[in-house]
């Protein structure tokens, strides 16, 4: 069975980006040599699903930070939107969260990284997230794009662990209670 997993950072007040999508505040964090577990996380992932906003924010990163296959959920972008350096690494889909998970499962994928605020929200609402690793960054943005939006019902979480780092980062791991 395929499972969705989240590994994401937020400001202390719960924002993943500024209103305009800017994440420079996150990229400029002065990190000592801390292991926040991302390498271990990504090594256990088979594929990545992200939203258009996340893709447009990172598509020009060099070197490209991902070795896993990526599906970008978008009704606006298509195969013609793939930058030349990402051909064969990224594909676009306008499928629903359930449909894209079924597609990836049929292709043999088991563990999928779900990335991007709106995508995380839609997968949470559909019950397609297994667990969340959320790293709080010690900065207050005051406003921006929230990781979590309105929900039609409570989503109960089981706390697995929390770790603090000398940088002030606080990382908590939660499992969704089914």
């Amino acid at each position: 069975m395929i499972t969705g997993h989240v590994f994401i950072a937020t400001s202390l007040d719960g924002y993943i980006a500024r209103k305009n999508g800017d994440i420079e505040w996150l990229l400029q964090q002065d990190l000592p040599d801390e292991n926040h577990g991302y390498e271990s996380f990504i090594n256990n992932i088979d594929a990545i699903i992200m939203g258009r906003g996340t893709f447009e924010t990172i598509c020009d990163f060099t070197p490209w930070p991902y070795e896993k296959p990526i599906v970008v959920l978008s009704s606006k972008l298509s195969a013609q939107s793939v930058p030349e350096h990402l051909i064969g690494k990224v594909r676009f889909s306008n499928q629903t969260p359930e449909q894209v998970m079924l597609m990836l499962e049929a292709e043999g994928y088991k563990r999928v990284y779900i990335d991007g605020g709106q995508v995380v929200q839609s997968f949470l609402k559909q019950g397609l997230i297994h667990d969340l690793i959320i790293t709080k960054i010690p900065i207050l943005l005051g406003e921006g794009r929230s990781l979590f939006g309105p929900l039609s019902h409570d989503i109960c979480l089981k706390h697995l662990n929390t770790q603090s780092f000398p940088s002030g980062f606080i990382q908590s791991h939660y499992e969704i209670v089914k």
Side-chain angles (χ1 to χ4, degrees):
M1 183 172 144
I2 194 166
T3 54
H5 306 271
V6 173
F7 191 105
I8 200 161
T10 71
S11 63
L12 193 58
D13 47 355
Y15 299 110
I16 58 171
R18 296 192 185 280
K19 278 187 170 183
N20 65 0
D22 177 58
I23 61 168
E24 199 61 34
W25 62 272
L26 178 60
L27 300 176
Q28 291 181 345
Q29 292 299 312
D30 184 23
L31 300 177
D33 292 329
E34 293 179 349
N35 179 355
H36 301 117
Y38 179 77
E39 297 297 325
S40 176
F41 171 81
I42 202 72
N43 287 338
N44 289 309
I45 293 296
D46 301 317
I48 300 167
I49 298 173
M50 67 177 59
R52 178 185 54 83
T54 301
F55 176 73
E56 288 177 340
T57 299
I58 67 166
C59 70
D60 293 326
F61 283 12
T62 53
W64 180 241
Y66 302 106
E67 295 179 16
K68 310 293 180 171
I70 295 177
V71 177
V72 177
L73 295 185
S74 175
S75 59
K76 296 180 180 178
L77 299 178
S78 66
Q80 293 81 12
S81 306
V82 178
E84 190 173 319
H85 71 285
L86 298 180
I87 293 173
K89 298 176 182 179
V90 174
R91 60 183 157 156
F92 296 96
S93 174
N94 63 359
Q95 295 176 306
T96 66
E98 298 92 346
Q99 291 170 331
V100 76
M101 289 293 271
L102 287 171
M103 175 190 78
L104 290 173
E105 185 173 39
E107 293 173 7
Y109 298 107
K110 302 285 184 213
R111 293 178 50 86
V112 180
Y113 174 15
I114 310 299
D115 193 22
Q118 291 180 352
V119 172
V120 169
Q121 290 174 25
S122 65
F123 277 67
L124 263 176
K125 289 175 184 174
Q126 299 302 312
L128 298 171
I129 303 281
H130 177 267
D131 65 332
L132 305 146
I133 298 173
I134 302 171
T135 304
K136 293 281 190 176
I137 309 299
I139 186 172
L140 297 172
L141 298 180
E143 64 181 0
R145 294 184 182 175
S146 177
L147 173 57
F148 301 112
L151 297 169
S152 61
H153 62 281
D154 295 346
I155 297 175
C156 295
L157 306 172
K158 176 184 175 187
H159 177 255
L160 300 177
N161 63 59
T162 294
Q163 182 176 2
S164 62
F165 298 91
S167 62
F169 289 19
I170 299 172
Q171 185 178 81
S172 295
H173 189 179
Y174 301 94
E175 186 174 271
I176 305 296
V177 176
K178 299 287 180 184

